[in-house]
Amino acid sequence: MKSLKTLFKAVFLLGFIFSSRLSAQVNEAQDKTFTDLSGVTHNLFTYLDSGYIVMIDFSFIGCGSCEYWAKEIGSDLWQTHGPDGDNTLRMFHIDYEPELDFVLSDYVDELGIEYPVVNIQEQWPEYPVAGGPTCYWICPNRTLNKSIGYTYPDSEISANILYYNCMGIDLTENISLLKATPASSSTLCSSDGLYYYEPELLLMHNDLLDAAEPDPNSDDWFNISAIDTIYQVEVFRNGTFVSTQNVNPNSDGSINKYDSPILDPIDVSPNDEITLVCHYPDDTQAFDDTIRVTIPAEVINPTSTTSDIHIIGHNNLSYQIKNSNGDSICSGNGNSQFTLTNGDCYKIRFFNSHTYDGSLSDGNQNILISFEAGEYNVAGDPFGAPIYFYASPWFYFNVDGQSNTDVNDSWNKLNTHLISTEYFDVLGKKHQLTSQLKKGVYVELKRYANGMVKSRKICIQ
């Protein structure tokens, strides 16, 4: 391994501990002209003079945090603000360590990077790199700021703060509503022909990314504002107001810069659009306080024909089951078997789903719910993220049938583990993130099962 890469990776691990650093000192950009891997020549000041914000992402092959940034944040920025979005941003992925062009090209294709890629053989002295990734945000007035490293969701907030800083909007004291549990067929509970959507939200207070750039060696580094006030979430169904839910951020006994409440169930029907609007008392910025979730056109709620239930998974795969009243029924790790009461709707959540596959089956070996490793991974940060970032959403299943007392004699667990999951659109182009996928996407799953490699393609309608 290259000595420079080893040095930088040590810096990255330290950066993970203290989160992404946001430097907001005001400097003036220096002009650069460069050519991307496609042979197109770009001039920095030409883009700035045309009114574009420019983001330069310095990275190198083998930098894990750089990969996470490009896949989880860079892709969304390009889609939202690039030529196919609101056309306000130009982005460049720049590899600053010696690499052959074709090696770099294959690497970024695997990452799914769609914005221009530039291969330079040494660092630009005008734009020094202090850690990976180092992202320079350059405003049309030629002032620039930078952010260093990747931790979720701090680095995503950092990108938003620096982008809107160029727009003249200060977001450093904003409360951001980042995510809501996506609706899928297995995350809806059915009863008497009705469906219920129970979203989990993720909010963050932004002032960790203070413009003064806190010193990690001082006590002030940990002196950040927490989400500590009761706030409200308004619920709309197809544009019509449904209810207002009050959220107490201290309901679980902990107050910090994040809050991840689970809302009360919302009555829904297929094709409904659910809009969630957060109202935090001290938040004066409302542009990012709304999230919309579309209910699937077809809801197939898994139903067990027996009350004997099996959890199949690695010993490090944890789970928790609750009933329709929200009472915890059981929890455990790895492979388990137990009996539930007939005639009720239950919900199950898996933890560590970014690493291990998991499934829920009934006593007749019918699979009720299954997921691939990483399928419901909210984040990508393997260092220090709260555990709920690595949890699946709640999956719902009904129990309706008779117990099968002979189930133990007929159950056999396959020696199976996931090799890879690759995502392709209908044109055959590979994508790294499910958030990039449109309707009609083909997914190829490769598994090692019983001594053989098996590949299967499915189409997500």
Side-chain angles (χ1 to χ4, degrees), residues 256-394:
N256 51 44
K257 66 176 181 176
Y258 302 105
D259 194 38
S260 186
I262 298 177
L263 299 186
D264 294 336
I266 303 166
D267 294 351
V268 295
S269 298
N271 293 313
D272 278 352
E273 182 182 74
I274 303 301
T275 302
L276 306 170
V277 184
C278 177
H279 297 283
Y280 194 82
D282 299 328
D283 186 7
T284 59
Q285 300 285 354
F287 81 101
D288 62 350
D289 295 338
T290 300
I291 286 181
R292 291 179 175 83
V293 178
T294 301
I295 305 302
E298 181 180 8
V299 179
I300 305 174
N301 191 261
T303 300
S304 170
T305 58
T306 173
S307 56
D308 286 317
I309 301 297
H310 297 261
I311 306 295
I312 303 301
H314 191 279
N315 287 336
N316 288 332
L317 181 68
S318 303
Y319 66 88
Q320 181 182 21
I321 294 180
K322 294 184 177 182
N323 61 17
S324 57
N325 295 324
D327 302 321
S328 182
I329 300 300
C330 58
S331 61
N333 300 80
N335 301 316
S336 303
Q337 178 185 349
F338 45 88
T339 300
L340 298 177
T341 304
N342 287 332
D344 201 354
C345 181
Y346 296 89
K347 60 182 179 181
I348 183 171
R349 161 172 269 186
F350 296 95
F351 299 89
N352 286 330
S353 58
H354 66 303
T355 305
Y356 306 106
D357 301 347
S359 65
L360 171 72
S361 300
D362 65 20
N364 295 324
Q365 304 185 31
N366 299 311
I367 295 179
L368 306 177
I369 296 165
S370 65
F371 65 91
E372 305 293 342
E375 182 177 359
Y376 292 101
N377 183 16
V378 178
D381 175 18
F383 301 96
I387 185 63
Y388 54 75
F389 289 163
Y390 298 145
S392 74
W394 288 103

Side-chain angles (χ1 to χ4, degrees), residues 62-81:
C63 166
S65 57
C66 305
E67 294 180 6
Y68 283 128
W69 194 97
K71 292 189 293 184
E72 304 292 342
I73 300 175
S75 174
D76 288 342
L77 285 170
W78 186 243
Q79 291 184 29
T80 304
H81 302 299

